[in-house]
Amino acid sequence: MHVDDLILVSVDDHVVEPPHLFEGRLSKKAADRAPFIEVQPNGREVWMFEGAAMPNVGLNAVAGRVPEEYGLDPLAFSEMRAGCYDIHERIRDMNVNGVLGSLNFPSLAGFTGQLFYTCEDKDIALELLQAYNDWHVEDWCGTYPGRMLPLAVPPIWDADLMAAEVRRMAEAGCHAVTFSENPEKLGRPSWHSDFWDPFLRACEEVGTVICLHIGSSSQTVITAMDAPIDTMITLQPMNIVQCAADLVWSPIFRKFPNLKVALSEGGIGWVPYFLERIDYVYQHHHVWTNQDFGDKLPSQVFNENVLTCFIDDAVGIEVRHHLNPDHIHWECDYPHSDSTWPHAPEMAMKYLDGLPSEDIDRITHLNAMRNFSYDPFAHFPREQCTVGALRAQATDVDTTPVSHGTGKFQDEGIVTAMTLAERMGRK
């Protein structure tokens, strides 16, 4: 298959929310409490909510910047590529990258909607959260039908409200919800409790995928405070193995056998050994640990219920036969620092080249279409959805890396976990 013939659907990208997202969607009481943008004395723009600043993490919006200026400082919108926050420019950036469809995780709301959880008035919190979801579905995804896979944020303080929001969003055509890889780290019950059952049942019944993004437990992987930040960045995707183990050994897949959970941005190269290990543990220990998978092995349960997702994983492609081929998904990660934009098709083809066409199609778009209830071909003829066809619409899009003259860490020597903690206010 030629690179121009690929059809690419990314199940992991991100949106930097624009300042106007709540406008016209709230009661006066909620509008008075809604997050808003404040310009700092140094010119930086930060979201304010409940009297606290929420600086944007620079690595969240570095698409189009020269790599020397990557960093963790908050950025002004003027220093971001417009495709980070403007849906019209996002579509143009998708076109120039040859990407047909995109599922976008939140930035402001947090991967688990924990921003709204911090609001003490839960009536206000729910109104803000639903306004956020409506903006995401109607404006961010609805402006260009067939180009976006909507993703809802849940009210994690109440499992019944979560279930109701999942159903409300499903009626609006949204069949994905973001949640935490480890809710206990957020002060909520773990996967091993029955607290989440109403939420899980609703997701199973309406076919909504629960997306667990790396870092969604709000804990950064720091091995030592003087370890270089490269250590954290290296471990971040593989760290989701902890979530995978929690899911498999919890009762959720036995109670909800049709539930689908995605390990977003988790990679796939580590999965075969993990599957081998959980089967070994089960066979050697289940008689005294009281685990019971009936006539199945834990690896079978994983492959039936867990969707795997990767950005760049040549080893994972080589060992893909150990995974469920209908559950492997490709990701772009725009506009984060790991993103393959604007050369995603070429980078993907490095490891897809030589695979059977049916495998390429499943990994690049068919699995995403089926598992996330997404049908772009209802809006566009297939021949208009290829890399070549989309790029032909974006010949005027400039992808030249830009310098704003605002380097982040370059004058500080090796960037360490201590640097990260200080910049994020967590020291």
Side-chain angles (χ1 to χ4, degrees):
M1 183 180 293
H2 190 273
V3 66
D4 282 346
D5 297 324
L6 291 173
I7 295 178
L8 296 176
V9 175
S10 170
V11 297
D12 170 49
D13 293 307
H14 303 263
V15 57
V16 176
E17 296 85 357
H20 64 267
L21 80 94
F22 291 107
E23 290 180 6
R25 295 188 178 277
L26 299 171
S27 66
K28 184 180 185 307
K29 182 178 179 182
D32 289 342
R33 299 277 294 275
F36 63 94
I37 292 288
E38 180 175 280
V39 181
Q40 302 288 292
N42 62 2
R44 299 294 189 187
E45 296 168 343
V46 298
W47 283 97
M48 300 292 297
F49 184 56
E50 300 290 85
M54 298 169 291
N56 182 60
V57 177
L59 288 177
N60 286 347
V62 296
R65 295 177 70 90
V66 293
E68 293 80 7
E69 294 183 6
Y70 286 11
L72 295 163
D73 282 342
L75 298 171
F77 281 91
S78 61
E79 291 188 0
M80 298 181 200
R81 190 172 179 89
C84 296
Y85 56 86
D86 182 303
I87 186 57
H88 307 294
E89 292 302 316
R90 171 62 66 91
I91 295 298
R92 284 164 52 79
D93 278 356
M94 289 168 60
N95 288 346
V96 80
N97 198 30
V99 173
L100 171 65
S102 173
L103 181 146
N104 284 213
F105 284 86
S107 298
L108 169 66
F111 284 140
T112 315
Q114 57 264 50
L115 171 71
F116 306 112
Y117 177 48
T118 63
C119 181
E120 292 186 5
D121 187 328
K122 289 301 183 280
D123 291 333
I124 294 292
L126 182 61
E127 185 176 348
L128 292 173
L129 180 144
Q130 290 184 328
Y132 183 98
N133 283 340
D134 290 343
W135 165 81
H136 181 86
V137 170
E138 296 169 7
D139 291 3
W140 188 252
C141 298
T143 301
Y144 290 88
R147 297 302 301 272
M148 293 290 182
L149 292 71
L151 176 70
V153 171
I156 62 172
W157 57 90
D158 187 312
D160 290 320
L161 287 178
M162 293 171 72
E165 188 64 5
V166 164
R167 297 182 191 282
R168 188 179 80 91
M169 287 288 96
E171 291 179 1
C174 175
H175 289 277
V177 60
T178 180
F179 190 54
S180 176
E181 59 191 342
N182 189 343
E184 188 177 67
K185 299 300 183 183
L186 300 176
R188 310 302 295 139
S190 77
W191 285 112
H192 307 282
S193 76
D194 60 3
F195 177 85
W196 306 106
D197 284 6
F199 165 60
L200 301 176
R201 184 176 298 109
C203 290
E204 182 185 48
E205 290 177 356
V206 301
T208 290
V209 177
I210 302 175
C211 298
L212 310 177
H213 197 284
I214 59 170
S216 56
S217 64
S218 294
Q219 287 207 340
T220 302
V221 184
I222 296 178
T223 59
M225 293 308 288
D226 57 349
I229 199 170
D230 313 73
T231 305
M232 181 204 75
I233 296 173
T234 300
L235 292 174
Q236 195 79 336
M238 293 176 284
N239 189 56
I240 208 167
V241 68
Q242 299 178 60
C243 171
D246 244 5
L247 291 172
V248 167
W249 298 118
S250 79
I252 67 170
F253 295 139
R254 280 165 273 185
K255 287 193 289 186
F256 307 103
N258 295 314
L259 185 68
K260 295 294 184 290
V261 173
L263 302 182
S264 303
E265 208 176 318
I268 60 176
W270 58 270
V271 175
Y273 174 69
F274 172 76
L275 298 180
E276 178 183 339
R277 179 60 183 166
I278 57 178
D279 284 352
Y280 186 91
V281 169
Y282 182 64
Q283 292 165 335
H284 279 70
H285 299 282
H286 77 276
V287 293
W288 71 270
T289 62
N290 298 316
Q291 287 284 351
D292 185 4
F293 285 84
D295 60 353
K296 296 181 180 179
L297 289 171
S299 61
Q300 292 174 281
V301 173
F302 180 97
N303 273 329
E304 290 172 1
N305 296 93
V306 177
L307 310 182
T308 53
C309 314
F310 72 98
I311 300 171
D312 186 79
D313 199 328
V315 171
I317 293 299
E318 289 182 13
V319 298
R320 68 190 185 283
H321 57 281
H322 293 285
L323 283 66
N324 183 340
D326 293 325
H327 284 181
I328 303 174
H329 303 77
W330 174 81
E331 303 170 315
C332 177
D333 198 32
Y334 179 102
H336 283 190
S337 56
D338 265 359
S339 177
T340 55
W341 184 90
H343 308 295
E346 290 76 19
M347 295 186 71
M349 188 53 80
K350 286 192 301 183
Y351 47 79
L352 295 176
D353 191 27
L355 268 62
S357 294
E358 56 268 28
D359 284 359
I360 295 176
D361 286 342
R362 281 192 291 193
I363 292 169
T364 57
H365 65 282
L366 292 181
N367 288 347
M369 289 171 58
R370 181 181 59 258
N371 293 322
F372 289 85
S373 304
Y374 167 65
D375 185 10
F377 302 147
H379 301 273
F380 315 102
R382 191 183 190 282
E383 61 269 18
Q384 294 181 13
C385 298
T386 64
V387 168
L390 293 170
R391 281 180 163 171
Q393 301 178 41
T395 55
D396 63 326
V397 177
D398 186 2
T399 61
T400 306
V402 174
S403 171
H404 292 278
T406 52
K408 305 305 175 191
F409 295 125
Q410 284 65 38
D411 297 331
E412 301 179 15
I414 296 296
V415 183
T416 67
M418 177 70 77
T419 311
L420 171 67
E422 290 174 343
R423 292 299 178 94
M424 295 301 292
R426 295 174 184 169
K427 182 179 176 183

